[in-house]
């Protein structure tokens, strides 16, 4: 294994960062110790107790079931043997409730006598096997663990059986961290870095050193050109490595993809309304309403909605949005079910901060610019409107005991209309240029998939197979005009600072000379077929083999002004995948290795208009997965090596064109830990080291042997620890602390010019009180008021407080 050398300053800073993290761990453990040491010193003799057992329909003990007394707000959680005890209850008549997420709630009436112990036993209607499935899905014992998913392999494959690496962020974790922005959930995924926000609210993050978008929803295209509201998110799945075999390459990077899984209806009526307020004039109201629509519970309905209003910490900038997502499930019979989900969003916002350095200047670090951190160099009248409509459908049909059909479709409309902005430095004279593009940019996406999933034996060998076909189409109509204001001083702008208004920009747009490229239409499609088989050689050893063929048809960019089409081409690409998994300890520890391939169809323009070949990425990876101690410890550690061929880069001989002459290498280590070492205490931690470099650059580009600037920090770490009291009078009270670290990175990295983004360490903390009927939480982000920047040199939020109040019924 070979890694590039690191500067001495990095080695000096990194131990300091580790010291900060260890201090956080010590403080959190001390806090947990103080809380866990809380006990009622003596029980009042005149009070009574309730005890009993909870079992499943087949007589097995039911662990982690909540048993609560409604009137007294007291309760307990059943042990591994199914027992529970609730002490120090005042005499009287009470309602005892046994509940577990996803199961039917049961109630009993109980009389508590002075000094007495009343025994109440429950028998759940579910069997032990069914309850175990619910345990795995809800991970009540390790509440932030939801690794079991059918999305990664397109098959019901357990994490320990899957040779691919992936991370899952649950809605429970996002709720504990008081997440009000979708990208804040990515703080818990190793190697994602600081979110990159584009001018229309669209976001990307990092995966193994590659910029990776948020274009997949429920495993199909959910191409959202605007911001994504977290109100409808059940979990975020980060699937690592080139994934061209089972997912559309247009929606993934060579580092992986992010799949957002939305909330689905279930059989129990439930409503949760949440109001959140805090720094920067945050006002956010959300509602989650779930209702079965008939007595048989074959028609289920759920709706999630959000009303969001927030200003920037800078002198200008805002986001006002409305979002609603209704979902319907119709269980036709025991073989056929239909899911329909709709997302509708409307937003009025200012463009994200974006700053380009002066590549001919003498300043090489964003900290040395001297720009006021809270100045936006913008104006609230320079805004845009965005709209989003996503229609998703899933039809599941059980063909036989061994085969089922899965039909998925998605239709997306996503648009931006208004002004988006760009700031450019001229640091030789300490000035900044304000640029704005007035655009009307709608996207139209159609994605249809048909999968056949089988689970059968050939002789004594088990085969789990998915065979599918996919159609994807993306159209866009881009109308835009770009204008630039006179440069102003960025140290002392004076009255000229207020000239950047919509009225002045509109006047410049009206006076601009029309160009052919002011209106462009794009249309591209892909047709794919794929096959994947997981073959069990023994009960501990399995192999995965997958293949995909993709036909890409880019109809090019059409400019109606001159009737010309440029960049049109057709390409066919194959993508194989192989993997092996050996369970060293059955159901607890597995060793895995994989070879994965991905490709991207290249739409860039060469000087002689010659179509580019597809880019290919080949990954070799090996590691270990652990799911031990009754799911209390879940961890993945792996080493990967990704080589990319046919890399494109700017053509040094022809400005505005690209050349395809490069190769790129990305290798590194990733580690993740999700742990519940003792009741109430949870840990989510990750570390990622990525060594990326251009290994074969075109002459004159100045990139040979250098790390690509958009690969982000070489080292990234994340940590979250929380504790909640699980029994007694203060059950539901808890706190959490954690943070994120990123090493130094570059906005520009060439032989002739480098622009540095400094390393950063942020620390967050929360306290909460979570009860069956309500929840109160308070979160402080960036406790140390760290100044740090994204790849686009956008200043990130200073210390921020958020108060969250929820009512559940």
């Amino acid at each position: 294994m070979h890694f590039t050398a690191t500067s001495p300053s990095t080695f000096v800073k990194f131990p300091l960062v580790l010291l900060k993290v260890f201090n956080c761990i010590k403080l959190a453990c001390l806090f947990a110790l103080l809380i866990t040491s809380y006990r009622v010193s003596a029980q009042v003799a005149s009070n009574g107790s309730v005890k009993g057992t909870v079992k499943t329909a087949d007589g097995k003990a039911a662990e982690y079931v909540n048993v609560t007394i409604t009137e007294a707000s007291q309760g307990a959680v059943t042990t591994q043997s199914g027992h529970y005890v609730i002490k120090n209850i005042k005499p009287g008549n009470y309602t005892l409730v046994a509940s577990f997420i996803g199961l039917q709630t049961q109630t009993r009436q109980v009389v508590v006598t002075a000094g007495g112990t009343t025994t109440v036993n429950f028998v759940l209607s579910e069997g032990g096997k069914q309850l175990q499935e619910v345990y795995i899905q809800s991970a009540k014992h390790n509440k932030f663990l939801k690794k079991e998913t059918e999305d990664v392999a397109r098959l019901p494959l357990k994490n320990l059986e899957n040779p691919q690496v992936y991370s899952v962020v649950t809605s429970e974790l996002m709720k504990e961290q008081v997440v009000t922005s979708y990208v804040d959930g990515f703080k818990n995924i190793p190697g994602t870095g600081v979110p990159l926000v584009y001018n229309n609210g669209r976001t990307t993050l990092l995966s193994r050193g590659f910029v990776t978008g948020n274009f997949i929803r429920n495993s199909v295209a959910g191409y959202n050109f605007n911001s994504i509201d977290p109100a409808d998110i059940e979990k975020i799945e980060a699937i690592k490595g080139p994934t061209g075999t089972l997912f559309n390459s247009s929606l993934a990077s060579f580092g992986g993809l992010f799949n957002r899984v939305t909330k689905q209806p279930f059989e129990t009526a439930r409503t949760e309304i949440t109001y959140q307020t805090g720094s920067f004039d945050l006002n956010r109201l959300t509602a989650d309403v779930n209702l079965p629509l008939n007595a048989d519970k074959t028609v289920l309905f759920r709706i999630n909605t959000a009303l969001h209003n927030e200003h920037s910490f800078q002198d200008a900038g805002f986001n006002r949005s409305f979002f609603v997502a209704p979902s319907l499930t119709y269980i036709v019979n025991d073989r056929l079910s239909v899911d329909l989900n709709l997302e509708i969003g409307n937003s009025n916002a200012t463009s994200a901060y974006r700053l380009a350095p002066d590549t001919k200047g003498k300043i090489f670090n964003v900290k040395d610019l001297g720009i006021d951190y809270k100045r936006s160099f913008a104006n609230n009248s320079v805004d845009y409107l965005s709209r989003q409509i996503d229609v998703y459908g899933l039809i599941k049909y059980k063909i036989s005991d061994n085969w089922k059909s899965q039909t998925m479709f998605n239709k997306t409309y996503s648009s931006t209309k208004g002004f988006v902005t760009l700031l450019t430095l001229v640091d030789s004279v300490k000035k900044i240029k304000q640029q704005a593009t007035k655009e009307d940019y709608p996207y139209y996406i159609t994605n249809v998939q048909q999968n056949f999933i089988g689970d059968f034996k050939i002789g004594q060998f088990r085969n789990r197979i998915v065979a599918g076909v996919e159609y994807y189409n993306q159209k866009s109509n881009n109308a835009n005009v770009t204008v630039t204001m006179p440069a102003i001083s960025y140290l002392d702008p004076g009255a000229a600072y207020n000239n950047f208004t919509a009225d002045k920009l509109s006047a410049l747009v009206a006076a601009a000379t029309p160009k052919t490229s002011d209106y462009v239409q794009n249309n591209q499609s892909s047709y794919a077929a794929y096959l994947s088989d997981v073959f069990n050689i023994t009960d501990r050893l399995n192999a995965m083999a997958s293949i995909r063929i993709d036909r890409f048809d880019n109809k090019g960019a059409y400019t109606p002004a001159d009737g010309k089409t440029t960049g049109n081409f057709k390409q066919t690409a194959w993508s194989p995948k192989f993997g092996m998994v050996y369970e060293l300890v059955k159901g607890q520890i597995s060793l895995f290795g994989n070879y994965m391939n991905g490709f991207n169809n290249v739409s860039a323009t060469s000087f002689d208009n010659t179509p580019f070949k597809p880019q290919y990425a080949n990954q070799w990876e090996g590691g270990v997965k652990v799911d031990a101690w009754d799911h209390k410890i879940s961890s993945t550690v792996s080493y990967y090596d990704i080589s990319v061929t046919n890399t494109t880069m700017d053509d040094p001989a022809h400005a505005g064109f690209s050349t395809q002459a490069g190769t790129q290498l990305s290798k590194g280590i990733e580690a993740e830990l999700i742990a519940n070492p003792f009741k109430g205490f949870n840990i989510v931690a990750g570390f990622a080291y990525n060594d990326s470099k251009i290994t074969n650059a075109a002459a004159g580009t100045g990139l040979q042997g250098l790390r690509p600037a958009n690969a982000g920090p070489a080292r990234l770490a994340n940590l979250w620890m929380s504790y909640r009291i699980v029994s007694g009078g203060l059950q539901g009270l808890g706190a959490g602390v954690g943070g994120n670290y990123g090493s130094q990175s570059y906005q520009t990295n060439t032989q002739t010019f480098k622009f540095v983004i400094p390393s950063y360490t942020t620390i967050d903390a929360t306290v909460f009180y979570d009860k069956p009927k309500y929840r109160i939480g308070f979160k402080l982000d960036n406790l140390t008021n760290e100044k740090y920047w994204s790849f686009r040199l956008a200043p990130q939020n200073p210390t921020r407080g958020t108060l969250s109040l929820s009512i559940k019924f």
Side-chain angles (χ1 to χ4, degrees), residues 217-218 229 231-233 262-266 287-291 293 299-306 322-330 338-346 388-394 409-410:
R217 169 173 165 257
N218 295 330
D229 196 285
D232 192 37
I233 303 298
T262 60
K263 296 176 181 178
Q264 300 299 316
F266 52 92
D288 181 355
V289 181
N290 186 83
L291 289 171
L293 297 183
V299 182
L300 310 174
F301 177 76
R302 188 173 186 177
I303 186 169
N304 283 271
T305 186
F322 172 72
F323 173 81
V324 60
S327 301
L328 183 72
T329 295
Y330 177 32
V338 179
D339 294 331
L340 291 174
N341 177 260
L342 178 65
E343 287 185 340
I344 301 174
N346 284 277
Q388 162 211 349
I389 301 175
D390 277 332
V391 182
Y392 166 81
L394 170 62
F409 67 89
N410 193 84

Side-chain angles (χ1 to χ4, degrees), residues 719-737:
L719 173 67
W720 182 255
M721 302 175 294
S722 63
Y723 177 80
R724 74 167 64 200
I725 299 173
V726 295
S727 61
L730 293 180
Q731 181 181 358
L733 177 65
V737 64

